[in-house]
Amino acid sequence: MSLSTQSQMVEDNYVLVASLDNVRNLSNILKAITFKDHAIFNATPNGLKVTVEDSKCLQANAFIQAEIFQEFTIKEESVGFQVNLTVLLDCLTIFGGSTVAGVTTALRMCYNGYGYPLTLFLEEGGVVTVCKINTQEPEEPIDFEFCSTNVTNKVILQSESLKEAFSELDMTSEVLQITMSPSQPYFRLSTFGNSGNAHYDYPKDSDMMELFQCSETQTNRYKMSLLKPSTKALALSCKVSVRTDSRGFLSLQYLVRNDDRQICFVEYYCCPDEEVDEE
Amino acid sequence: MKFRAKIIDVGCLNHFTRVVNTISKLTKTCILRLTPDNLYFVLSGKISSGGVSMWCELSQANFFDEYQLEGVAPDANEICLEVTPENLSRALRTVQNAKCVKIKLTKKHCPCLTFAAELPTLSSISRVVTHDIPVDVIPRRLWQDFKEPKMPDFDVGIYLPPLKTMKNVVDRMKNLSNFLVMEANLNGEMNLKIETDLVSVTTHFKDLGNPPWGGDGSQGRSQSRDPELMAHTRVDIRKLQQFLMGQQVNPSKAMCNIVHKRIIHLILLHEDVSLQYFIPAVA
């Protein structure tokens, strides 16, 4: 059976078809949230949302809007399924994920609905790869109930400045402590490691600080091991918004530009590690 | 028994180094067979090496400026050594900018291949670096194990796609599965397939072309074959990956012969080097 007829048969009954001229526009952003195997996919006419969770304390979401895709056809209001993200990424980068200009892998992704595999057709330089990834019933992602009305503090930074801090963070520290305050020290990252304590302060009028909206002093600790995966998103991003709500939950939103200069978002939610007594 | 050889040309030295590096990626130990005209790196399909065999043939005249060989006996003018290619490769790595490299079979504490390299210097005093690489001399009664493998009576022969593309695909498939099915037909099509509980992946190559194996009688089976019919063999994916990983020789031709459900026979041809690699089927 030829490839085109195979593809045709799959597409006759599809509920979701999405095509990309450059698979990196999907694979790169998925790499930013790869820290567990299971990923929950939710497609709506607006686009694709992929969710990965760890220990009910950390959640990462990647949003790829429908406009990013060259074709995005969905026959239902919402289509959900769960796949193994590591397997998906190996499939998406089957041709090596080349960064050479002019060499791109094209993708056509089809899903026929509950019980069917997610089918990928990848093509580079006339070579075609067909992948069928088994799907599972999607779990309901945890609702962190993080809503913008409860946000107490918010800063938006150029990612460059945070990358520097994160690359120098003392990873022997179990926690990263984030202090946000309308007065000194404004925005502080602290670690408590084997070789001592370290603080990184960002003045609020720094060039790197695009927005500074802090209404009260808040100090929260987050497990370093939970925050570690977010550095993948940070590395890809150009801006990051750091927010905490009244419960001390942390939201990190990354603005990522893909190869075609389009904008996508990755967001991480993290529970605080413990209450810190304020003196 | 005597062997000495000398490389002066830096191009030859680089080329020889690349060949040895390639061999060292494929196997920990192998046989180096020296004859008056050729050098052979040989691995015979022992169970301990996963049944893989290798045959690499180099014409000595294309590498060495001087080459002297006295075999074990007048009626058997060759020498058979067991070597660790990694050691050869390491010795060659340090002598890349040498003015000349001499290779000699010596008797130190044990039989050794001695690499003596004369390095460039600014003063008139020469600098010589010597590497003694222990080898085992293979007695004549065991030589029959290291004869050139016969070209198997294959079902389909096909040209391989660019090895880099193939390597990328096989690398990813290796993350997903331990076994890979390689299949090809006489219509120039080749597929690489894996299948696990989680995923099935097939990469389709087409328009590869089939080598015209005319006249040597080994193509009997494939003559009357339906061009669309696939011959396939399931192999240990690590063996194939190893073969693709080691490629530093830039072959002018890369081919593969498939004996249905039995073996895949990979052949790389370079003007003065040929490398054959056999990967047996797994059930």
Side-chain angles (χ1 to χ4, degrees):
Chain A
M1 188 171 11
S2 85
L3 209 61
S4 52
T5 43
Q6 272 186 37
S7 161
Q8 204 56 51
M9 278 176 55
V10 171
E11 285 177 29
D12 281 344
N13 304 309
Y14 67 88
V15 293
L16 172 71
V17 174
S19 312
L20 275 172
D21 289 343
N22 182 0
V23 73
R24 279 164 49 85
N25 289 348
L26 178 62
S27 60
N28 273 355
I29 202 156
L30 291 183
K31 277 180 199 160
I33 58 165
T34 310
F35 52 88
K36 285 278 165 189
D37 279 348
H38 286 290
I40 306 160
F41 278 68
N42 185 38
T44 65
N46 291 327
L48 191 61
K49 177 182 159 193
V50 186
T51 306
V52 181
E53 296 178 334
D54 186 10
S55 331
K56 300 209 186 297
C57 296
L58 180 71
Q59 183 183 78
N61 294 295
F63 302 93
I64 305 111
Q65 300 92 294
E67 300 77 60
I68 305 280
F69 294 93
Q70 271 66 49
E71 182 196 345
F72 193 84
T73 315
I74 180 164
K75 282 193 180 162
E76 293 167 9
E77 268 308 289
S78 155
V79 173
F81 54 87
Q82 192 169 302
V83 294
N84 184 311
L85 188 56
T86 322
V87 168
L88 175 63
L89 271 174
D90 275 321
C91 291
L92 292 176
T93 55
I94 190 97
F95 294 115
S98 145
T99 52
V100 180
V103 182
T104 54
T105 307
L107 166 73
R108 189 169 183 80
M109 183 164 78
C110 308
Y111 180 60
N112 280 22
Y114 186 82
Y116 283 94
L118 177 68
T119 308
L120 310 176
F121 299 90
L122 293 131
E123 189 267 344
E124 182 180 308
V127 182
V128 175
T129 298
V130 184
C131 309
K132 292 194 164 79
I133 307 172
N134 290 344
T135 55
Q136 291 119 36
E137 203 159 337
E139 282 165 25
E140 191 63 36
I142 299 164
D143 183 359
F144 277 65
E145 291 171 351
F146 193 99
C147 67
S148 45
T149 48
N150 292 334
V151 168
T152 38
N153 295 318
K154 174 179 182 179
V155 298
I156 298 180
L157 290 158
Q158 300 271 351
S159 299
E160 237 14 81
S161 63
L162 212 53
K163 276 179 208 169
E164 207 179 295
F166 267 78
S167 66
E168 289 170 11
L169 277 188
D170 178 0
M171 287 299 171
T172 63
S173 174
E174 258 189 43
V175 293
L176 176 68
Q177 180 175 292
I178 301 179
T179 306
M180 295 213 252
S181 166
S183 54
Q184 281 276 357
Y186 305 114
F187 182 62
R188 165 176 280 186
L189 305 175
S190 314
T191 54
F192 312 92
N194 296 341
S195 48
N197 301 347
H199 304 286
Y200 302 80
D201 288 358
Y202 291 79
K204 73 170 183 179
D205 51 1
S206 150
D207 286 347
M208 290 295 169
M209 191 77 76
E210 295 218 343
L211 181 85
F212 185 86
Q213 276 178 0
C214 293
S215 52
E216 58 181 81
T217 303
Q218 239 187 338
T219 299
N220 291 297
R221 294 181 164 195
Y222 305 93
K223 275 217 170 7
M224 194 67 98
S225 56
L226 287 176
L227 287 183
K228 192 101 193 292
S230 73
T231 51
K232 290 184 191 171
L234 181 63
L236 278 179
S237 67
C238 43
K239 283 180 199 180
V240 52
S241 149
V242 182
R243 298 181 299 164
T244 52
D245 71 2
S246 47
R247 300 165 303 165
F249 278 58
L250 176 69
S251 147
L252 298 165
Q253 286 178 321
Y254 300 92
L255 187 149
V256 177
R257 274 189 201 280
N258 67 18
D259 287 357
D260 300 324
R261 312 295 296 157
Q262 297 158 309
I263 289 171
C264 294
F265 289 96
V266 174
E267 94 193 333
Y268 273 80
Y269 291 117
C270 187
C271 300
D273 191 37
E274 58 184 14
E275 295 294 316
V276 175
D277 292 333
E278 284 174 29
E279 290 162 64
Chain B
M1 202 162 54
K2 198 171 143 193
F3 170 69
R4 56 168 67 216
K6 190 170 166 186
I7 304 181
I8 298 173
D9 183 82
V10 69
C12 291
L13 182 59
N14 284 336
H15 190 20
F16 187 64
T17 307
R18 276 200 298 274
V19 173
V20 172
N21 284 345
T22 301
I23 304 293
S24 73
K25 296 266 166 48
L26 291 176
T27 177
K28 280 206 174 65
T29 63
C30 70
I31 302 302
L32 173 60
R33 219 181 108 194
L34 304 164
T35 70
D37 295 323
N38 292 314
L39 289 84
Y40 305 90
F41 291 96
V42 187
L43 183 68
S44 62
K46 295 275 165 54
I47 299 300
S48 58
S49 61
V52 167
S53 17
M54 174 188 77
W55 180 264
C56 178
E57 186 172 329
L58 288 71
S59 150
Q60 62 89 355
N62 286 325
F63 290 89
F64 298 98
D65 297 277
E66 282 171 31
Y67 187 93
Q68 288 171 36
L69 179 98
E70 252 171 53
V72 291
D75 63 326
N77 193 17
E78 46 184 274
I79 298 174
C80 235
L81 304 170
E82 183 168 13
V83 297
T84 306
E86 173 60 27
N87 288 344
L88 302 181
S89 151
R90 208 174 306 146
L92 285 165
R93 210 174 300 151
T94 59
V95 301
Q96 276 310 290
N97 55 354
K99 288 201 288 191
C100 94
V101 179
K102 287 179 193 154
I103 306 173
K104 218 161 55 169
L105 184 61
T106 54
K107 180 91 185 154
K108 307 254 165 147
H109 300 292
C110 62
C112 283
L113 270 180
T114 297
F115 283 59
E118 196 181 319
L119 300 182
T121 95
L122 290 173
S123 68
S124 56
I125 307 152
S126 67
R127 290 190 298 157
V128 176
V129 174
T130 306
H131 292 264
D132 290 320
I133 301 159
V135 296
D136 281 326
V137 178
I138 303 291
R140 203 173 156 184
R141 64 190 152 81
L142 297 178
W143 283 7
Q144 75 233 15
D145 290 351
F146 310 111
K147 289 270 176 287
E148 177 165 11
K150 278 210 204 86
M151 171 107 73
D153 190 10
F154 56 87
D155 296 284
V156 169
I158 192 158
Y159 288 115
L160 290 174
L163 295 182
K164 194 166 175 293
T165 310
M166 207 172 144
K167 177 183 177 293
N168 281 336
V169 170
V170 171
D171 281 350
R172 303 296 151 165
M173 288 185 167
K174 154 94 183 359
N175 293 344
L176 300 169
S177 172
N178 295 325
F179 302 102
L180 170 144
V181 173
M182 192 164 174
E183 62 178 16
N185 63 18
L186 292 174
N187 204 19
E189 294 168 332
M190 182 181 91
N191 300 329
L192 302 176
K193 301 206 280 198
I194 58 140
E195 193 160 353
T196 70
D197 295 345
L198 292 174
V199 64
S200 74
V201 180
T202 308
T203 296
H204 304 265
F205 296 92
K206 55 182 197 301
D207 305 326
L208 296 174
N210 302 90
W213 296 105
D216 61 357
S218 62
Q219 43 136 30
R221 266 206 243 177
S222 57
Q223 255 170 354
S224 54
R225 195 181 165 86
D226 171 6
E228 296 287 329
L229 184 65
M230 290 283 179
H232 65 82
T233 293
R234 187 163 178 265
V235 295
D236 182 341
I237 201 163
R238 284 170 307 171
K239 302 292 175 207
L240 183 61
Q241 193 193 26
Q242 234 166 28
F243 172 78
L244 294 167
M245 208 157 53
Q247 288 329 307
Q248 303 192 5
V249 184
N250 275 333
S252 51
K253 272 198 182 114
M255 294 166 275
C256 173
N257 295 327
I258 299 179
V259 186
H260 190 59
K261 292 186 174 175
R262 287 264 316 281
I263 201 162
I264 58 178
H265 172 205
L266 298 147
I267 308 155
L268 302 184
L269 293 182
H270 194 278
E271 46 186 312
D272 46 14
V273 184
S274 74
L275 175 68
Q276 300 181 58
Y277 196 66
F278 298 81
I279 308 176
V282 287

